[in-house]
Amino acid sequence: MFTFILAFFIMAPILIFYASGYRYDIKLGKILKTGTLMLEAKGIKNASLYINDKLYEKPFDEKIFVYNLLPGDYNIRLEKENYYSWQKKISIQSSLTTFVRDIIFFKKNIPLQIVDEPTANFYLSPDEQKIAYIKKTELFSELYLLDIRTKEKIFLYRASFPESDINLSWAASSKKILAQINNHYFVFNVQQPEQILEIEELLDFEPNNLKWDIGSDNILFALKQNPQARADQAASEIYKIDLLAKTKSKIFESQEELINQEFFIEANDVFYIKKENTRDNLYKYNLNFKTTKLVTKLGRSANYKFIKSTNNYLGLIDSDNQKLFLIQKIITSLEITIQSSSAIKEFNAINAVWDRNEKWLLFHDGFEVKFFDTVANQEIFINRYGQKINRVCWHHELQHIVILFQNNLNIIDLGAENGERNVIEIIKFDQLDNFYFAQKGEIIYFQGKIGRQEGCLLYTSPSPRDRTRPRMPSSA
């Protein structure tokens, strides 16, 4: 009896400590309070969980709690047959639960060739239902339209020379395509592809640049440059073209100096760039009040690009100097106003793209990737890479970004609150030129070459539905 009582008083505290989550750490030689790990990947069932390369006793089915982990770093890996594995270094803290949500699995699918001929380039429509692509042969260049749902291929246009330079731009409605073929512009109505409108028929000049209105597929804006302008001529003019009425009207002119070919029109304001002395300046001309205001001073560059958005920010890339200008604006019914110089931010970048909610602006300078959170008014560093970045974009659920390097596409997990970021190389290409995400990230369209397959390729990776609301990614 005495032995039993003694054993009870010895073991009881140990059992209580054990049940309360305390464990003895052999490495540190002391008792520590444990932590908990929660992993969640909606729609993923019967996956294998590895903790420090050791298979966990229970299978992973959408969500799992792992209890009684000693504080420290753990290598966590999830594996499922026919999917790329997900792995991450996770930090476990005493008495706390570490949550890792929105885990995405990408399927190991081989891309399929959806256009059975080599293509020079392709453009996915905003509604993700059509692809306009360019085919080049030894004799000519051809423009085609592919209906993704019906697989119907429609011939649109043939340029006589194979070296013809062709650039396409979809209207926001996905019903019309603006094509620049060498120095000529055409509008194709995808619902009536046999009807081709040559823009020069509506103009008495050859436009230096042509742009869609951000909200209408019946309005275009054309820039006319007059480098040898007479005294009674303006150096630069912008015209509004009504495709329905087949009319044009001049809305802006710069009397003495040529403006840069890049311009942007929103609501009742024209944003344009003009050389002055040793630098360029960004101006705003209001169509209602006929007033011109200086927005900000720039460097000296020949190559600018405005970043389209419908939010309260105007983005401008200076490609030559690798600068991004982000300008906060206030939109009223009569005029867009810029409050002060403090409303203008400057970053190092050669390209930038908004997320689908237009709250986070992702950008890179060729090697470093960052984004700016407009809600928190905060610049967040993601990573620096040793190879040149060609393009970055957001994944649909906003917890991942996609980076195009020379011949491979990497998907980066931004959920780095508790550890390192997971990196998945989807496919290794022999050549990779461009890509588009569609259907909430479940489909990727590629322009490239893998083995004998070349041209427009399709990769599918069904992802779980009904994800939680996007959370702001954190810096590493």
Side-chain angles (χ1 to χ4, degrees):
M1 177 65 75
F2 174 77
T3 303
F4 174 79
I5 295 173
L6 180 62
F8 173 79
F9 280 102
I10 293 174
M11 294 299 297
I14 296 176
L15 293 174
I16 292 172
F17 268 87
Y18 193 89
S20 300
Y22 287 90
R23 296 292 185 275
Y24 181 75
D25 191 324
I26 299 176
K27 293 181 180 179
L28 298 178
K30 59 181 179 181
I31 296 175
L32 297 174
K33 177 75 171 178
T34 60
T36 301
L37 172 64
M38 191 285 282
L39 301 173
E40 182 180 44
K42 292 184 178 179
I44 298 298
K45 296 184 178 182
N46 198 29
S48 298
L49 169 62
Y50 292 84
I51 302 176
N52 289 339
D53 295 324
K54 183 179 179 181
L55 180 64
Y56 188 61
E57 57 191 24
K58 297 180 181 178
F60 177 86
D61 286 322
E62 293 197 334
K63 180 190 292 188
I64 195 168
F65 284 87
V66 182
Y67 300 98
N68 300 321
L69 292 172
L70 286 168
D73 293 337
Y74 292 82
N75 291 315
I76 306 299
R77 187 171 79 253
L78 286 170
E79 291 187 353
K80 183 173 174 61
E81 188 177 3
N82 297 323
Y83 286 82
Y84 292 98
S85 64
W86 179 93
Q87 58 185 357
K88 198 170 189 178
K89 182 181 286 186
I90 304 294
S91 295
I92 300 297
Q93 299 181 45
S94 177
S95 304
L96 298 178
T97 299
T98 299
F99 295 90
V100 183
R101 297 186 175 94
D102 299 319
I103 297 173
I104 292 182
F105 276 70
F106 293 90
K107 216 165 188 182
K108 292 181 177 178
N109 282 340
I110 299 174
L112 302 175
Q113 190 174 26
I114 61 172
V115 176
D116 57 356
E117 54 193 354
T119 59
N121 206 348
F122 78 102
Y123 301 79
L124 181 67
S125 63
D127 65 3
E128 303 177 355
Q129 300 301 315
K130 297 170 281 291
I131 288 176
Y133 68 92
I134 301 162
K135 172 189 173 184
K136 290 193 176 184
T137 69
E138 294 180 356
L139 300 176
F140 42 73
S141 295
E142 293 179 329
L143 176 60
Y144 288 89
L145 179 69
L146 174 69
D147 188 309
I148 295 174
R149 293 173 298 178
T150 65
K151 305 298 187 293
E152 180 185 7
K153 183 177 73 173
I154 301 172
F155 169 79
L156 295 179
Y157 189 83
R158 174 177 293 161
S160 302
F161 304 99
E163 66 274 11
S164 295
D165 186 19
I166 302 177
N167 293 296
L168 306 180
S169 175
W170 282 95
S173 66
S174 298
K175 296 178 180 179
K176 293 179 182 178
I177 303 171
L178 174 64
Q180 180 187 6
I181 303 175
N182 295 327
N183 294 322
H184 300 282
Y185 289 90
F186 303 86
V187 173
F188 298 91
N189 187 331
V190 299
Q191 296 175 325
Q192 297 174 308
E194 70 282 355
Q195 296 183 7
I196 304 173
L197 175 62
E198 189 170 358
I199 294 299
E200 280 82 349
E201 295 177 1
L202 305 180
L203 303 174
D204 55 2
F205 62 88
E206 187 177 281
N208 297 87
N209 195 5
L210 204 61
K211 291 192 169 191
W212 285 112
D213 178 77
I214 60 175
S216 173
D217 63 7
N218 290 317
I219 301 296
L220 287 167
F221 296 102
L223 171 65
K224 178 184 179 182
Q225 301 279 46
N226 302 308
Q228 306 297 328
R230 302 187 306 268
D232 60 338
Q233 288 182 313
S236 298
E237 300 168 316
I238 296 178
Y239 288 81
K240 179 180 179 180
I241 303 171
D242 189 321
L243 298 178
L244 284 180
K246 291 184 167 51
T247 59
K248 74 175 190 301
S249 57
K250 184 165 65 174
I251 62 171
F252 168 84
E253 66 178 21
S254 175
Q255 198 65 38
E256 299 177 357
E257 298 288 339
L258 291 172
I259 68 172
N260 190 276
Q261 291 201 53
E262 178 70 356
F263 65 92
F264 181 72
I265 297 177
E266 182 178 12
N268 297 302
D269 289 273
V270 180
F271 292 88
Y272 65 96
I273 300 157
K274 188 163 65 172
K275 291 182 179 179
E276 291 183 348
N277 299 321
T278 60
R279 63 189 311 134
D280 300 336
N281 288 330
L282 173 62
Y283 286 96
K284 179 182 72 71
Y285 175 76
N286 183 259
L287 300 174
N288 287 324
F289 301 118
K290 313 300 181 187
T291 55
T292 300
K293 296 178 181 179
L294 174 66
V295 177
T296 188
K297 295 179 180 180
L298 308 170
R300 175 54 58 87
S301 175
N303 298 292
Y304 292 98
K305 179 185 176 183
F306 284 102
I307 304 167
K308 290 183 180 180
S309 67
T310 57
N311 59 15
N312 291 326
Y313 285 87
L314 174 67
L316 176 65
I317 292 283
D318 174 353
S319 300
D320 293 346
N321 297 304
Q322 298 190 2
K323 294 292 183 183
L324 163 64
F325 298 91
L326 191 60
I327 303 161
Q328 192 169 11
K329 61 191 179 183
I330 299 175
I331 303 174
T332 67
S333 58
L334 296 176
E335 183 177 16
I336 295 174
T337 59
I338 312 297
Q339 283 189 317
S340 64
S341 59
S342 62
I344 302 172
K345 299 184 181 298
E346 184 177 330
F347 310 95
N348 293 326
I350 58 175
N351 205 353
V353 60
W354 287 103
D355 73 294
R356 58 185 168 85
N357 299 317
E358 295 188 345
K359 292 181 179 179
W360 304 333
L361 183 64
L362 181 69
F363 56 91
H364 74 94
D365 64 2
F367 296 95
E368 283 189 354
V369 182
K370 301 178 181 180
F371 75 91
F372 180 74
D373 177 14
T374 61
V375 178
N377 194 32
Q378 181 182 5
E379 178 185 354
I380 296 175
F381 173 80
I382 295 177
N383 207 351
R384 179 174 178 82
Y385 298 92
Q387 55 181 317
K388 193 164 188 303
I389 299 168
N390 291 334
R391 185 183 163 198
V392 298
C393 77
W394 291 99
H395 189 272
H396 184 270
E397 42 69 67
L398 306 182
Q399 289 300 309
H400 295 76
I401 63 169
V402 185
I403 303 181
L404 171 61
F405 295 106
Q406 183 177 4
N407 289 321
N408 60 77
L409 199 72
N410 285 2
I411 297 181
I412 315 297
D413 179 4
L414 295 185
E417 298 93 337
N418 305 296
E420 297 178 351
R421 293 192 169 98
N422 187 45
V423 180
I424 300 173
E425 182 181 89
I426 291 293
I427 305 162
K428 183 69 175 179
F429 287 78
D430 297 317
Q431 179 183 336
L432 179 56
D433 302 315
N434 197 9
F435 71 93
Y436 292 93
F437 268 87
Q439 295 189 19
K440 298 183 178 181
E442 295 184 5
I443 292 178
I444 312 176
Y445 296 100
F446 297 103
Q447 169 67 32
K449 181 179 180 181
I450 302 179
R452 296 181 179 180
Q453 294 191 99
E454 181 179 2
C456 185
L457 306 171
L458 166 68
Y459 166 85
T460 59
S461 180
S463 57
R465 302 285 186 178
D466 303 323
R467 296 198 172 274
T468 55
R469 292 179 58 190
R471 295 171 289 112
M472 188 186 82
S474 66
S475 56

